[in-house]
Amino acid sequence: MTKILIIGGGAMGSAFTVPCLENKNKVTITEPYSKIFIKDLSSKNKFHSALKIKLSKKLRFKKFSQKLLQEKFDLIVIALSLSGIDFIGKELKSLKIKTPILVLTKGLKYEKKRNKIFTISELLKKKYNGMNVSALKGPCLAKELARKNKTSVIIANKNINIAKWIGKQISTKYYLIEYSRDIIGVEICSAIKNIYSMIIGSGQSLNTSSSLFQKSLIEMKYLTKYFKGKETTIEGLAGVGDLYVSAAGGRNSKMGSYLGKGFTFKTAKKKFMKKDTVEGEQLAREIAPFIIKKIDKRKVPLMTNLFKAVLKNKKLKIN
Ligand SMILES: NC(=O)c1ccc[n+]([C@@H]2O[C@H](COP(=O)([O-])OP(=O)(O)OC[C@H]3O[C@@H](n4cnc5c(N)ncnc54)[C@H](O)[C@@H]3O)[C@@H](O)[C@H]2O)c1
């Protein structure tokens, strides 16, 4: 029986408990940040307010603490949003954790001092003491996973044996796992698809969105290669797979549709999506300083125009 600790009791962390428990693992979940999720997970019936389902009674909830992180687990899963990555990196660093870590979080970090973009696994390894990190990405709406709808995801690690060991602990009939050594490419694709799904969502007809989809793939390919990922990763689950699900539904493409209708970002956010986190917006703010300075804008015209809409509040111009 594998002992798994999931850090982050939001929609994804909680949905992830479903295949983990199905595989008869001993699963503990903890929540360091949100009072709502702490309340949900520590309640008797374990009704999750974001997933709108009751989680298994077998799931154990424990209060987040350094002591908990020091307990003997076989796998630690990070399911926090991007803003929680530095926090958890610092917590784990001081403990010199050797346990394999699996990151579900999608996103990239810009380090101003070094003028460099880091993937989350790079950041955890370099800044926070060489942890043993794998990344799990791909098309996976948390609500669908929690309801056991079939989905396929990909685990990446240069050491493919670690990725395969993790996959064995968590795969089920409805949670199918592929593997990749291209951890950089997988992380780059799964992050930037949040920006491109906004762009595709801005199309006001299927024809326009399809054309934006194809142009987005060309830009994603260029960026993946630029950051030293494999071009072919774009064709996989973390690339085109995840782009499809995000463009077809979700908060990024919803924001994109308002931008496409001619609303400015600020107006659309205030009027229609006040309480929603738009991950593509967060990523745009994070990476724009680097992309604008370092990358030929003729290679990424869609992303450049989206930056203008999000950062400068200009009307979105998509040619
Ligand atoms: N890998 C996958 O298959 C997959 C699928 C869906 C989503 N995701 C990713 O998982 C992550 C979480 O998504 P979600 O849908 O669960 O979001 P959510 O909003 O439901 O939950 C966010 C989690 O992050 C925590 N958090 C937020 N801000 C924090 C901070 N400043 N410090 C510490 N913790 C903080 C919250 O408390 C919560 O646990 C996102 O990066 C998302 O892209 C991954």
Side-chain angles (χ1 to χ4, degrees):
M1 185 189 276
T2 304
K3 287 168 86 180
I4 302 177
L5 173 68
I6 298 173
I7 306 172
M12 191 54 210
S14 300
F16 193 71
T17 65
V18 175
C20 289
L21 283 165
E22 180 121 3
N23 265 348
K24 309 226 177 321
N25 297 307
K26 193 167 180 191
V27 185
T28 305
I29 193 163
T30 187
E31 168 56 53
Y33 188 73
S34 153
K35 285 193 182 123
I36 297 173
F37 295 144
I38 290 174
K39 199 172 154 218
D40 289 351
L41 292 162
S42 58
S43 72
K44 219 172 171 192
N45 68 1
K46 290 208 165 51
F47 181 79
H48 197 278
S49 53
L51 295 173
K52 307 270 181 271
I53 58 157
K54 281 185 194 171
L55 295 165
S56 167
K57 291 243 167 359
K58 286 187 191 142
L59 176 64
R60 297 187 322 154
F61 171 76
K62 282 203 175 174
K63 210 173 145 212
F64 182 82
S65 69
Q66 284 265 327
K67 208 172 141 220
L68 174 64
L69 298 179
Q70 281 168 303
E71 276 182 30
K72 178 97 193 75
F73 290 102
D74 304 305
L75 177 67
I76 295 179
V77 179
I78 299 178
L80 301 171
S81 37
L82 190 59
S83 40
I85 289 298
D86 277 311
F87 159 78
I88 199 64
K90 282 179 202 151
E91 293 282 324
L92 291 170
K93 182 179 178 178
S94 58
L95 300 174
K96 299 199 170 74
I97 298 267
K98 292 276 181 291
T99 314
I101 290 178
L102 179 67
V103 179
L104 307 189
T105 314
K106 293 172 182 169
L108 299 167
K109 283 274 188 182
Y110 172 57
E111 283 245 321
K112 208 174 167 191
K113 251 207 264 164
R114 286 190 258 182
N115 193 26
K116 200 172 172 312
I117 300 251
F118 287 96
T119 63
I120 296 167
S121 69
E122 281 177 322
L123 197 81
L124 290 174
K125 278 186 207 164
K126 291 193 177 137
K127 200 168 163 190
Y128 299 114
N129 260 355
M131 294 173 200
N132 176 355
V133 185
S134 304
L136 184 152
K137 315 288 162 187
C140 181
L141 298 175
K143 273 191 180 169
E144 292 194 2
L145 175 61
R147 285 161 182 79
K148 303 188 181 180
N149 293 137
K150 199 180 214 169
T151 189
S152 300
V153 292
I154 187 157
I155 301 180
N157 191 321
K158 277 190 186 142
N159 183 340
I160 206 78
N161 291 330
I162 298 178
K164 286 187 175 166
W165 176 82
I166 296 174
K168 214 171 155 194
Q169 316 310 312
I170 61 173
S171 68
T172 64
K173 274 188 196 151
Y174 55 85
Y175 198 49
L176 309 174
I177 316 258
E178 293 185 7
Y179 302 97
S180 168
R181 287 189 170 86
D182 181 25
I183 187 160
I184 292 204
V186 161
E187 289 194 85
I188 295 284
C189 285
S190 69
I192 59 178
K193 63 92 200 186
N194 281 329
I195 288 179
Y196 287 103
S197 52
M198 233 195 272
I199 289 164
I200 296 162
S202 75
Q204 297 299 301
S205 70
L206 275 176
N207 285 350
T208 313
S209 288
S210 301
S211 145
L212 291 169
F213 195 99
Q214 184 262 345
K215 290 191 172 86
S216 294
L217 280 181
I218 294 172
E219 291 193 16
M220 284 176 74
K221 207 172 200 173
Y222 177 81
L223 288 166
T224 304
K225 215 171 147 192
Y226 178 92
F227 287 107
K228 306 212 165 23
K230 274 195 182 163
E231 253 184 326
T232 47
T233 296
I234 201 79
E235 293 153 18
L237 291 165
V240 74
D242 207 357
L243 185 64
Y244 176 82
V245 81
S246 303
R251 290 168 287 191
N252 291 305
S253 67
K254 190 172 166 193
M255 172 53 82
S257 79
Y258 294 125
L259 298 179
K261 284 189 176 80
F263 290 101
T264 62
F265 182 83
K266 275 188 190 162
T267 308
K269 187 85 180 66
K270 201 169 152 194
K271 214 172 156 134
F272 308 109
M273 300 183 69
K274 206 171 176 182
K275 288 189 180 157
D276 292 331
T277 305
V278 181
E279 281 184 279
E281 175 212 352
Q282 293 179 337
L283 185 68
R285 294 192 192 284
E286 184 77 27
I287 67 175
F290 178 91
I291 302 275
I292 291 167
K293 231 192 252 169
K294 291 276 191 177
I295 291 186
D296 181 351
K297 60 174 183 285
R298 286 168 302 184
K299 298 283 186 198
V300 288
L302 296 176
M303 184 178 265
T304 307
N305 284 332
L306 189 92
F307 285 165
K308 286 183 191 151
V310 172
L311 277 68
K312 299 196 170 153
N313 206 37
K314 298 228 163 106
K315 283 201 173 173
L316 180 64
K317 272 195 208 153
I318 298 286
N319 304 316

